[in-house]
Amino acid sequence: VDAPSGLATMAMLAGIAASCLIVQTQYPSRNDETNTLPMKLTYSRVGMVPVFVACHCSGLHGPAAAIFGGAAATDWLDGYLARRWNQCTPWGAFLDPVADKLMVGTALVAVAAAHPSAVLVTVACMHINREIWVSALREWAATQKSAEATASAAEGERDAQATEPRLVVGDLGKLKAATQFVALQLILTAYVIDDPEQAAMVYYLGVGLLVVSAGFGVASAWQYTKSI
């Protein structure tokens, strides 16, 4: 893709993302849950995904790395502000990890396609398949919770939470997320470094850390599986 076409695509996708955010801001939900700064940061992270793709495919590796870094920063900031300002909502709790998965999954595909290798493609597949597996577990757990709550209500029981399946993010899951973001940031940053030796060092450091992150991901997925 040549630079003018890439810039035009980036501008178009950025405009679409901005329009979606404006519509969301102008028409909040009845409880005004989506019209808070933490939620706007989460929505902005979703909007960064197509812009990241446009930059990466256009060869604008510096902006692509910066966008990914900004997404990682807002991932921490929106949760911090929501807790500090007591603006945590069920919708925010749902959308925050979804926004992370959209950006991380896109970045994994992008770096694996840019320089395909057996290790990088395998690790990318491990990360993506792990997210699919854990998401399916969460959906199943939510279904079981709903079924048990209905059964308990029919039997006149007041405590329906004693045996419900739950998936709580553990330390391994947090380590997976942290090392994943750092690894992808290193790989994307390597594309910007002019010195070949330094670029290779940063790149392979990122790949190695991505392998470690995949190990954390598989271990945490096994923990989640055993917990339900």
Side-chain angles (χ1 to χ4, degrees):
V1 180
D2 58 7
S5 298
L7 290 173
T9 302
M10 180 179 66
M12 179 188 68
L13 292 173
I16 293 173
S19 299
C20 293
L21 292 175
I22 291 171
V23 169
Q24 183 60 52
T25 301
Q26 293 297 321
Y27 300 99
S29 66
R30 289 181 304 171
N31 296 326
D32 208 32
E33 291 182 348
T34 63
N35 200 27
T36 63
L37 180 56
M39 284 305 307
K40 288 177 181 178
L41 290 173
T42 304
Y43 282 119
S44 72
R45 196 155 72 254
V46 176
M48 290 178 193
V49 174
V51 184
F52 168 82
V53 173
C55 289
H56 182 81
C57 293
S58 301
L60 302 174
H61 298 303
I67 289 170
F68 186 84
T74 60
D75 176 37
W76 170 82
L77 184 60
D78 60 4
Y80 171 79
L81 292 178
R83 290 187 297 270
R84 183 175 180 83
W85 295 343
N86 195 27
Q87 293 179 344
C88 298
T89 65
W91 175 243
F94 162 78
L95 188 61
D96 181 68
V98 171
D100 296 343
K101 289 174 176 57
L102 289 174
M103 178 57 79
V104 169
T106 300
L108 284 167
V109 172
V111 299
H115 294 89
S117 66
V119 173
L120 192 54
V121 171
T122 300
V123 171
C125 290
M126 289 175 64
H127 278 286
I128 293 172
N129 288 333
R130 182 264 184 197
E131 298 302 335
I132 294 173
W133 175 258
V134 172
S135 296
L137 284 178
R138 291 186 185 280
E139 183 176 354
W140 182 84
T143 302
Q144 293 298 110
K145 174 182 176 180
S146 177
E148 290 186 8
T150 301
S152 298
E155 295 173 3
E157 297 180 7
R158 301 183 63 180
D159 186 5
Q161 298 181 351
T163 60
E164 69 181 30
R166 298 183 63 190
L167 285 179
V168 179
V169 178
D171 291 338
L172 285 174
K174 294 176 181 178
L175 281 172
K176 184 272 302 178
T179 53
Q180 191 178 57
F181 268 116
V182 174
L184 287 170
Q185 187 68 64
L186 287 172
I187 294 172
L188 293 169
T189 302
Y191 298 151
V192 187
I193 300 174
D194 293 328
D195 184 272
E197 291 186 0
Q198 291 183 359
M201 180 181 67
V202 174
Y203 178 82
Y204 287 113
L205 178 61
V207 172
L209 190 57
L210 199 61
V211 173
V212 174
S213 178
F216 287 140
V218 171
S220 61
W222 176 243
Q223 277 190 343
Y224 294 149
T225 303
K226 292 194 301 180
S227 69
I228 62 175

